[in-house]
Amino acid sequence: MPQSADKVKDHIALFQEPEYKELFAFKKENYECRPADDEVAKQLEYSKSWEYREKNFARQHAVINPPKACQPLGAVFAAAGFEGSMPYVHGSQGCAAYFRSHLSRHFKDASVCVSDSMTEDAAVFGGLANLVDGLQNCNALYKPKMITISTTCMAEVIGDDLSSFINSAKEKEAIPADLPTPFAHTPSFVGSHVTGYDNMIKGILHYFWERESELTPKPGSKINIIPGFDGYAPANNRELKRYLDMMGVDYTLVSDVSDTFDSPTDGHYKIYYGGTTIEDTRNAIHAKATVSLQQFSTEKSLEYCASKGHTVAALNSPMGLTGNDAFFMKIAELSGKQIPEAIEIERGRLVDAIADSTAWLHGKRVALFGDPDVVYGLTSFLLELGMEPVHILAANGTAEWEEKMKALLATSRFGDGATVWRGKDLWHLRSLLFTEPCDLLIGSSYGKYLEKDTGTPFIRLGFPVFDRHHHHRFPTFGYQGALRVLVEILDRIFEVADGASDISFDLTR
Amino acid sequence: MSLDYTNDAEFNEELIKEAVAVHPEKAGKKRARHLGTVKTDAEGTSTCGVKSNIKSVPGVMTQRGCAYAGAKGVVWGPIKDMVHISHGPVGCGHYSWSQRRNYFTGTVGIDSFVTMQITSDFQERDIVFGGDKNLEKMIDELETMFPLSRGYSILSECPIGLIGDDIEAVAKKKAKDTDKLVVPCRCEGFRGISQSLGHHIANDGIRDWVLGKREQEWESTPYDVNLLADYNIGGDIWPSRKLLEEMGLRVIGAWTGDATLAEIERAPKAKVNLIHCYRSMNYICRHMEETWGIPWLEYNFFGPSQIAKSLRKIAALFDETIQANAEKVIAKYQPLADAVIAKYQPRLNGKRVMLFVGGLRPRHTTTAYEDLGMQVIGTGYEFAHNDDYQRTAEYLKDGTLVYDDASEYELELFIEKLRPDLVGSGIKEKYGTQKMGVPFRQMHSWDYSGPYHGYDGFAVFARDMDLAVNAPVWSKVKAPWKAA
């Protein structure tokens, strides 16, 4: 008997028991009609070849394991970063269920978002009735300070006009006229989740700066920071605020999800927790500058801020020395504040750590994938570690991103062997790893399939991370964050070294 | 084991009133019909007192999903040797990628495709010009990439039905070109009101595009059965088929967990269909009954009481040998069940459970909890129909709170006021509940554990409920300086 009460075996151990192995073999032999084992082995080998790679890269229509999501996910994420904001998805209800599940699986935290459950009749008559009822019910039940509306592809295909629908809902007194209802059209057949983030941030700023009432910018001393679509936002935003406070900078984080997706367990569940206040969001128009930490997640938002007279600057998910140096210098330049010695000491500790470990990092070949800015920031860090990025992939990268990546790689001889893959998927990356192997693979949890197939040691970094807990509770941003990323890379390298040879099983590395 | 307890109907009715009152009038009226308590009348008939399978109220935060989730995520997705195309924009396939834990054996990307996200990744031009032509070319490319696949399902996302694409024509053409089964599935997310219609549409796809379409060579025996509507979450279907095989039955097809297309196509050769999740596959059972005269039987493999009852019920359809074997199987495993209960029941006795799951488990698991001495005080479904609630009442004690298509608001209120010792629901409900200090188990995905079916699974179920309810962390929720 494979199971026992004394030592209960779950799926991990149970299906290794002989009774189950026999069951699998019996089923396969008698009922499954699978291809013959040698046929499978042959195809498996073939799938590792250059010839297969060429066929794989000839694909123009089939997309296989793309590491990207759709616009409204980014919009819901952006909307979650404001105080008392209820993300509201106008369209099919299944989308809202998916976004909530997806965010909860990554953050291991509650994620709320209502939808107005449009069905066949709404497909025919439009979704106005759903929006009116939806806003009214949402307001009655959840008493939000703002309802932040994005769209699914259903609403986009039938052409629902959010602006006039929301006006109608207020005219019908479904919700109070003064309840803020920022909105953005976020068709899932355009761009990816980072596009949706951009559209929603812009939508929110536009609502409070122009639509609610026409505000005139009166530039003060504040700096707006837009953190971007960041899976490490809880820890990264807190780290960001710590640094800005150390520098004495007057700032507003535009969409701060650090508390939303990392709230305490204390016996009471609060559906709203933390976030940028509405007052700060309105006043953000009076900033003298707006800095984005993710250029490719905020292009339209920054353009909009520039139109309000802000000096704008965009970084690319600062990671490591160069990226964070640029951040601090940009903030110092814009705010007129000094970079305090304490931050320089932190930087020195990071340099110290890199110097201690550089021998283990030097020349290691790395494949990496993820969102455009995250991949840029990481590549920059890898180059200064003396590592060699080889395959660099962003399924949602733009032509501009590709150019910028190439320029970055050209700054270092460690970038000489790199190829930038824009718009490719993880089935492409599988071919790349088989034909041009690497020492390490870095990316979101989906990379685990590539590690299993190709044997490339894998480090989880990006969004989503579903299969490891609490990574988002520790920063990747700043010099401290870079230390954490460094340690993760080193740990993986040492694990591989420890497992590779009995002879070289050194106590001290 | 049948536990004797009742739940507080009066308190629960008050709770329902409180929940309804928060809604605007129109929404409140609608929601009131979905909330009730179990009552038994003078004739001994129990009812749940709720309406079901009705459109969700906009804006209340329903926990429901969509037809695509039901068709791709539940029914088609687990069939391992077919390539399942999420046809439309990238999101739907992305969010459902590897999330149902439909275990399978096979080589991913070579002869099995369950944990892959394969999509036509619609762009604006596809919306404008239609996606049929590219879908054709896509299938050609997939043939090059995955020559050992046995066929394709085309799972429509919202835009497909709105832009007037003809995926049926593409399916017919590509079936001819590839000499494989290509099945179109009109499961756009806006169709219907929940995942449930997606199950139905997927069943219809099996009916219209798979069963009886190609000649099946098969030597039948009187003991051939299909095991239907077990999706092999965390390996559920394997302890289940083990019991049936030990009884002397031949499980010639198991749907759709760990299934190959051959197991689906062969189905009409079976003598009987055994169905676990009634909600998601009763349609195809009825079809096979009407077309080939195959009888079907519902069973429940959660917890030893129901397992034994089900094994006897199944055996009763066969000869005395099978019936004797069933008794042998029960006798073989009863000591395991007894040992599990002896170990865990003292730690779980009297603990109060609230459930909110999909279309089956809110009733099917209740007796497994009771086998461990636990009491179910509230239960409800995301997408059950009236016939599910009819099947539910007999499982529940009088006074039990029943909530159909409960919103986030209602669930939070009920949990807060009833303060159960355990909530069993989904990922969306998990973290908010735990913040209240209430232990939680995901009952869609088995919280990354399982299997829970069969005797082997019951041991895991018991262990998991114990580790949730009795985790030391729940005594540390309040800071000690605030605990008083």
Side-chain angles (χ1 to χ4, degrees):
Chain A
M1 175 116 29
Q3 188 59 286
S4 84
D6 286 342
K7 192 167 176 10
V8 173
K9 296 185 196 76
D10 64 18
H11 56 101
I12 296 171
L14 187 64
F15 300 131
Q16 303 303 321
E17 292 291 317
E19 287 91 339
Y20 279 99
K21 293 202 158 170
E22 281 162 30
L23 181 145
F24 299 150
F26 183 80
K27 176 174 186 255
K28 186 177 167 191
E29 179 70 25
N30 290 286
Y31 304 120
E32 292 194 338
C33 302
R34 298 245 289 267
D37 287 350
D38 58 346
E39 225 183 319
V40 172
K42 207 173 125 197
Q43 176 63 22
L44 179 60
E45 274 315 302
Y46 179 63
S47 77
K48 302 173 183 176
S49 67
W50 272 95
E51 190 183 324
Y52 187 88
R53 169 177 165 164
E54 276 155 26
K55 289 180 178 171
N56 195 2
F57 275 78
R59 273 191 284 132
Q60 293 188 339
H61 304 286
V63 179
I64 306 171
N65 296 348
K68 63 169 181 178
C70 66
Q71 277 212 49
L73 179 79
V76 166
F77 178 93
F82 294 84
E83 187 191 15
S85 161
M86 176 59 80
Y88 182 116
V89 172
H90 177 60
S92 303
Q93 69 194 15
C95 308
Y98 275 146
F99 308 145
R100 295 178 63 201
S101 301
H102 205 70
L103 293 168
S104 284
R105 284 174 180 135
H106 173 82
F107 289 112
K108 313 295 178 205
D109 218 292
S111 167
V112 294
C113 166
V114 305
S115 95
D116 50 22
S117 303
M118 285 165 62
T119 56
E120 283 106 328
D121 52 348
V124 177
F125 301 110
L128 175 61
N130 294 70
L131 190 89
V132 172
D133 285 352
L135 288 175
Q136 185 184 18
N137 294 332
C138 171
N139 189 41
L141 262 59
Y142 298 106
K143 302 184 174 46
K145 289 187 178 164
M146 62 192 258
I147 301 178
T148 313
I149 307 160
S150 52
T151 51
T152 75
C153 50
M154 178 206 182
E156 288 300 320
V157 172
I158 64 174
D160 277 3
D161 178 357
L162 276 186
S163 177
S164 72
F165 282 18
I166 293 166
N167 275 348
S168 300
K170 288 187 173 177
E171 278 159 21
K172 291 177 202 285
E173 295 178 357
I175 49 169
D178 61 354
L179 179 67
T181 48
F183 61 92
H185 287 273
T186 50
S188 53
F189 43 83
V190 176
S192 71
H193 54 289
V194 301
T195 323
Y197 180 90
D198 191 15
N199 284 333
M200 193 75 250
I201 294 287
K202 187 189 166 185
I204 291 167
L205 295 179
H206 179 268
Y207 186 88
F208 287 113
W209 295 355
E210 286 184 42
R211 187 175 168 112
E212 187 183 59
S213 62
E214 183 83 37
L215 301 179
T216 311
K218 298 182 200 107
S221 63
K222 269 200 172 184
I223 296 177
N224 299 324
I225 313 251
I226 311 176
F229 189 100
D230 177 12
Y232 298 84
N236 279 353
N237 289 2
R238 285 176 191 147
E239 193 67 351
L240 176 65
K241 289 184 275 190
R242 181 176 72 88
Y243 282 127
L244 295 169
D245 290 340
M246 281 170 85
M247 288 179 72
V249 175
D250 197 9
Y251 63 90
T252 299
L253 249 65
V254 178
S255 182
D256 179 7
V257 299
S258 55
D259 290 337
T260 321
F261 292 131
D262 188 18
S263 67
T265 286
D266 59 6
H268 301 285
Y269 169 48
K270 299 164 273 295
I271 57 167
Y272 307 112
Y273 189 73
T276 310
T277 65
I278 290 174
E279 205 43 42
D280 280 349
T281 310
R282 286 194 190 103
N283 287 330
I285 194 174
H286 307 305
K288 65 173 176 180
T290 298
V291 177
S292 161
L293 299 192
Q294 287 189 347
Q295 174 187 352
F296 298 103
S297 308
T298 54
E299 286 168 315
K300 287 180 206 159
S301 301
L302 276 195
E303 204 179 282
Y304 181 62
C305 291
S307 78
K308 296 296 172 193
H310 299 186
T311 304
V312 296
L315 299 154
N316 302 94
S317 293
M319 190 180 289
L321 293 163
T322 317
N324 285 299
D325 293 349
F327 167 77
F328 285 111
M329 288 190 292
K330 181 54 76 180
I331 297 295
E333 175 201 323
L334 294 170
S335 66
K337 304 280 183 183
Q338 296 285 312
I339 302 169
E341 199 186 347
I343 291 178
E344 202 174 319
I345 292 170
E346 279 189 28
R347 183 185 189 280
R349 288 194 192 112
L350 175 62
V351 176
D352 187 76
I354 295 170
D356 295 345
S357 310
T358 191
W360 289 95
L361 301 162
H362 195 95
K364 288 276 189 293
R365 288 161 56 83
V366 185
L368 61 152
F369 68 91
D371 287 337
D373 289 287
V374 174
V375 163
Y376 186 98
L378 177 59
T379 302
S380 167
F381 190 31
L382 295 174
L383 293 174
E384 62 201 25
L385 295 174
M387 302 178 85
E388 294 178 11
V390 177
H391 313 300
I392 305 175
L393 187 146
N396 49 354
T398 57
E400 198 188 344
W401 169 80
E402 185 178 336
E403 286 313 306
K404 193 160 179 173
M405 284 302 304
K406 284 178 178 165
L408 171 66
L409 292 162
T411 63
S412 165
R413 73 173 176 85
F414 293 93
D416 287 352
T419 310
V420 179
W421 298 102
R422 169 167 68 91
K424 298 297 178 203
D425 55 44
L426 297 188
W427 199 251
H428 292 118
L429 189 51
R430 181 179 182 274
S431 278
L432 294 172
L433 286 169
F434 274 127
T435 49
E436 297 175 84
C438 289
D439 299 305
L440 287 172
L441 167 68
I442 306 181
S444 68
S445 282
Y446 302 111
K448 77 187 296 179
Y449 296 117
L450 293 171
E451 180 181 42
K452 191 171 169 53
D453 278 6
T454 68
T456 317
F458 172 49
I459 296 165
R460 286 158 184 80
L461 191 118
F463 178 91
V465 174
F466 288 147
D467 62 336
R468 295 293 183 270
H469 291 191
H470 310 311
H471 284 207
H472 63 281
R473 299 186 206 257
F474 298 90
T476 57
F477 169 78
Y479 301 117
Q480 292 292 329
L483 259 181
R484 166 256 176 98
V485 175
L486 174 68
V487 170
E488 281 186 27
I489 294 173
L490 285 167
D491 279 354
R492 196 74 186 92
I493 289 171
F494 291 134
E495 270 169 34
V496 171
D498 282 347
S501 162
D502 289 345
I503 295 169
S504 313
F505 194 66
D506 288 339
L507 180 63
T508 307
R509 301 272 193 199
Chain B
M1 188 181 353
S2 182
L3 280 186
D4 196 18
Y5 61 95
T6 54
N7 290 310
D8 190 342
E10 205 179 320
F11 182 88
N12 289 340
E13 291 292 348
E14 281 305 310
L15 206 47
I16 291 170
K17 278 186 201 151
E18 187 182 338
V20 169
V22 180
H23 293 73
E25 198 186 340
K26 186 167 90 175
K29 259 188 198 161
K30 285 184 179 168
R31 285 305 308 155
R33 294 192 290 244
H34 297 266
L35 307 171
T37 57
V38 176
K39 290 182 188 71
T40 306
D41 65 18
E43 280 94 60
T45 310
S46 300
T47 51
C48 294
V50 297
K51 295 272 184 207
S52 59
N53 196 31
I54 296 169
K55 236 189 240 188
S56 299
V57 178
V60 300
M61 210 182 312
T62 173
Q63 310 286 17
R64 282 173 169 173
C66 64
Y68 166 89
K72 188 263 191 176
V74 176
V75 178
W76 282 104
I79 300 174
K80 62 184 175 181
D81 55 357
M82 293 178 79
V83 171
H84 306 292
I85 298 170
S86 293
H87 187 40
V90 73
C92 315
H94 187 78
Y95 307 120
S96 55
W97 184 1
S98 290
Q99 291 303 346
R100 279 271 298 168
R101 300 190 67 235
N102 317 108
Y103 280 3
F104 62 96
T105 61
T107 308
V108 177
I110 307 300
D111 69 351
S112 302
F113 310 92
V114 178
T115 48
M116 299 181 75
Q117 137 66 336
I118 295 170
T119 174
S120 44
D121 189 12
F122 255 42
Q123 303 299 307
E124 200 149 23
R125 61 176 182 272
D126 300 304
I127 302 290
V128 178
F129 299 111
D132 287 343
K133 282 215 172 68
N134 287 348
L135 178 62
E136 277 186 40
K137 292 179 194 156
M138 176 179 182
I139 290 173
D140 292 336
E141 291 175 359
L142 292 170
E143 276 293 285
T144 309
M145 290 290 97
F146 310 121
L148 300 184
S149 82
R150 299 302 201 195
Y152 298 89
S153 69
I154 302 165
L155 301 149
S156 298
E157 300 169 7
C158 285
I160 305 304
L162 298 170
I163 61 175
D165 272 11
D166 188 356
I167 59 168
E168 288 79 8
V170 176
K172 277 181 194 152
K173 178 159 187 287
K174 296 321 286 180
K176 211 176 265 174
D177 292 351
T178 62
D179 202 24
K180 291 180 180 177
L181 279 186
V182 184
V183 182
C185 190
R186 289 267 177 198
C187 55
E188 287 88 348
F190 63 83
R191 291 192 200 278
I193 56 166
S194 70
Q195 294 94 311
S196 182
L197 187 69
H199 307 142
H200 197 153
I201 293 168
N203 275 235
D204 290 352
I206 294 173
R207 179 194 67 196
D208 297 339
W209 294 78
V210 184
L211 297 186
K213 295 296 164 199
R214 301 196 293 198
E215 198 57 40
Q216 300 295 309
E217 276 181 33
W218 187 249
E219 276 184 41
S220 290
T221 76
Y223 304 116
D224 292 3
V225 301
N226 292 316
L227 193 169
L228 300 187
D230 184 326
Y231 303 101
N232 208 27
I233 310 298
D236 278 339
I237 211 167
W238 293 323
S240 304
R241 77 178 293 135
K242 185 154 76 94
L243 295 176
L244 299 175
E245 286 179 341
E246 285 180 29
M247 269 168 70
L249 299 176
R250 299 209 312 165
V251 183
I252 66 166
W255 294 17
T256 51
D258 189 42
T260 59
L261 181 56
E263 293 178 63
I264 314 285
E265 291 187 89
R266 183 186 301 132
K269 303 284 183 186
K271 295 290 176 275
V272 59
N273 282 323
L274 305 173
I275 177 169
H276 205 242
C277 176
Y278 168 83
R279 181 71 275 131
S280 60
M281 278 196 185
N282 75 85
Y283 320 100
I284 202 73
C285 287
R286 293 176 202 280
H287 169 70
M288 285 196 259
E289 185 175 44
E290 284 161 19
T291 311
W292 295 286
I294 304 171
W296 52 285
L297 182 76
E298 293 171 57
Y299 70 100
N300 179 351
F301 271 2
F302 287 106
S305 307
Q306 291 293 335
I307 298 170
K309 196 172 157 189
S310 292
L311 289 175
R312 290 186 176 116
K313 209 163 74 169
I314 293 165
L317 298 174
F318 296 91
D319 57 27
E320 284 170 5
T321 316
I322 299 291
Q323 288 164 23
N325 286 348
E327 293 306 324
K328 279 185 209 156
V329 170
I330 294 165
K332 175 184 165 187
Y333 286 98
Q334 196 56 47
L336 170 66
D338 292 342
V340 168
I341 290 169
K343 180 174 175 182
Y344 292 106
Q345 202 243 21
R347 301 182 205 166
L348 295 171
N349 207 28
K351 300 288 184 191
R352 298 151 70 246
V353 186
M354 281 175 71
L355 298 169
F356 184 67
V357 209
L360 175 81
R361 291 156 177 176
R363 65 172 177 277
H364 255 184
T365 60
T366 53
T367 27
Y369 284 109
E370 290 174 356
D371 284 340
L372 294 167
M374 303 173 81
Q375 303 180 359
V376 176
I377 62 168
T379 196
Y381 299 87
E382 276 185 25
F383 50 76
H385 300 205
N386 190 32
D387 49 359
D388 295 300
Y389 282 100
Q390 283 167 358
R391 286 164 165 77
T392 307
E394 61 169 293
Y395 278 100
L396 301 177
K397 305 297 185 219
D398 274 10
T400 305
L401 181 62
V402 179
Y403 26 87
D404 176 70
D405 182 22
S407 66
E408 204 279 342
Y409 182 91
E410 291 162 350
L411 284 176
E412 192 190 324
L413 176 75
F414 296 156
I415 294 166
E416 184 65 51
K417 291 292 168 75
L418 288 166
R419 284 269 151 190
D421 299 295
L422 178 71
V423 172
S425 189
I427 184 75
K428 301 190 293 296
E429 297 86 353
K430 179 181 173 95
Y431 298 103
T433 304
Q434 291 188 166
K435 284 187 202 293
M436 294 186 219
V438 175
F440 189 97
R441 286 297 296 181
Q442 289 183 66
M443 294 300 284
H444 299 264
S445 68
W446 303 151
D447 231 320
Y448 322 115
S449 180
Y452 282 177
H453 290 176
Y455 291 101
D456 289 351
F458 176 63
V460 185
F461 175 83
R463 181 202 69 175
D464 288 355
M465 299 312 139
D466 174 48
L467 69 81
V469 170
N470 294 309
V473 69
W474 304 122
S475 67
K476 302 289 181 193
V477 168
K478 294 257 187 262
W481 55 90
K482 275 201 172 162

